[in-house]
Amino acid sequence: MLIPFLRRKAPGDTPAYSAGEDCRVYAVGDIHGRDDLFAELLDRIARDEAGRPPLPRLLILLGDLVDRGPASRQVVERAMQLSRSGECVRFIKGNHEEMFIAAARGQVQAVRPFRRFGGIETLASYGLAPEEAMALGDKALVEWMLAEIPRDAIDFLDDGEDQIGVGDYLFVHAGVRPRVPLDAQIPADLRWIRGDFLNHRRPFGKMVVHGHSISEDVDVQPNRIGIDTGAFRSGRLTAIGLEKEQRWFLQTGADAPHPDQSL
């Protein structure tokens, strides 16, 4: 599914946001363990790019690769393969990566939120049956993760960036703290913020592209663009495409509804 969006300047209008002259950008929203949709969207991106003039490509993953969906391990491995392919790929660390990394590095206090918000499905993709994961105590689960979760996967996720700026756009996982300079934002806000950011109506200095907060379709506002369309439950995984002053969206198809989870 291709959703075109081209913002044109009107007389007296402020300049359109631009991704710059040097590259074409594709940014992918929260995947949450849906490797099938990730593969499909990468194919759609490749076909979209093939129909456009040659230009260096930057692929940005906005975080939350893991949890909730059935194939977190496969999503992480696909992202790692992309990063090793020689293509220009950058990854932003989401709040779900933060919880997963903390538990997988031995922080027992991180296990409870990790379990609660989709970690059981992540562990299943690494070979631990859900009923066994639920039966293990927090310390025992940490010990299993230390022994069984590949360290290169955890290191890859832990190397994720907090924010990425390209031209007039800023890419983050969750959002930014209003009235705080963009270069002074803290990781906790960039990965977790919701209401204060979503409800802010004034400009942030750059157009902020984010995931984290699920919307039924792309959420385009004057100061931000949300592209988390709830792939794990809706079957719609979304990417934004940017080239100079052009903007468009690519999406996978839709599945049956999935119970709501909001973290």
Side-chain angles (χ1 to χ4, degrees):
M1 182 186 301
L2 173 63
I3 306 173
F5 185 101
L6 177 59
R7 184 178 186 270
R8 304 182 186 277
K9 288 185 287 187
D13 193 10
T14 56
Y17 290 98
S18 172
E21 303 289 326
D22 299 331
C23 68
R24 180 180 298 122
V25 180
Y26 294 94
V28 177
D30 303 33
I31 301 170
H32 276 306
R34 288 298 302 266
D35 188 56
D36 54 337
L37 301 180
F38 190 20
E40 179 184 341
L41 189 59
L42 289 173
D43 181 64
R44 289 175 185 263
I45 288 171
R47 286 187 277 119
D48 179 75
E49 188 174 33
R52 299 178 184 274
L55 195 65
R57 180 181 77 173
L58 169 60
L59 178 67
I60 298 174
L61 307 180
L62 292 184
D64 281 8
L65 306 185
V66 300
D67 296 348
R68 296 178 171 167
S72 289
R73 179 174 189 161
Q74 293 80 357
V75 171
V76 173
E77 290 175 350
R78 189 182 297 276
M80 292 171 67
Q81 290 169 2
L82 284 169
S83 72
R84 295 166 179 162
S85 68
E87 297 186 35
C88 192
V89 181
R90 298 174 70 176
F91 164 64
I92 291 173
K93 186 189 297 184
N95 62 311
H96 282 261
E97 278 81 37
E98 183 179 282
M99 291 185 288
F100 182 32
I101 292 162
R105 291 213 189 278
Q107 296 182 29
V108 175
Q109 67 272 23
V111 170
R112 185 168 296 179
F114 173 64
R115 288 185 200 259
R116 181 182 175 189
F117 295 106
I120 297 298
E121 291 88 341
T122 295
L123 296 177
S125 74
Y126 283 96
L128 183 64
E131 57 273 17
E132 187 175 354
M134 294 297 293
L136 288 174
D138 291 352
K139 188 173 185 296
L141 191 63
V142 158
E143 291 172 353
W144 186 93
M145 295 177 74
L146 285 167
E148 301 296 335
I149 304 294
R151 294 299 97 181
D152 60 343
I154 297 304
D155 291 342
F156 168 77
L157 296 176
D158 209 6
D159 284 340
E161 301 179 65
D162 294 327
Q163 57 176 283
I164 298 170
V166 181
D168 299 325
Y169 288 86
L170 183 71
F171 300 87
V172 298
H173 174 64
V176 299
R177 175 68 59 184
R179 294 173 290 278
V180 173
L182 296 179
D183 60 1
Q185 297 286 325
I186 63 172
D189 284 335
L190 296 169
R191 294 178 198 148
W192 290 91
I193 197 168
R194 189 165 274 127
D196 288 350
F197 166 68
L198 298 177
N199 296 328
H200 191 69
R201 295 293 176 249
R202 297 182 65 83
F204 294 111
K206 289 181 180 286
M207 175 62 79
V208 179
V209 179
H210 66 96
H212 186 60
S213 296
I214 296 174
S215 53
E216 185 175 349
D217 208 337
V218 179
D219 183 11
V220 179
Q221 302 295 329
N223 58 356
R224 64 175 182 82
I225 303 171
I227 60 169
D228 181 0
T229 45
F232 73 99
R233 71 184 188 201
S234 69
R236 289 188 301 276
L237 179 62
T238 298
I240 185 173
L242 301 168
E243 180 181 335
K244 299 178 183 176
E245 294 181 357
Q246 297 180 57
R247 181 193 304 165
W248 64 98
F249 301 94
L250 301 166
Q251 284 184 339
T252 61
D255 292 338
H258 187 289
D260 186 36
Q261 300 181 63
S262 60
L263 182 64

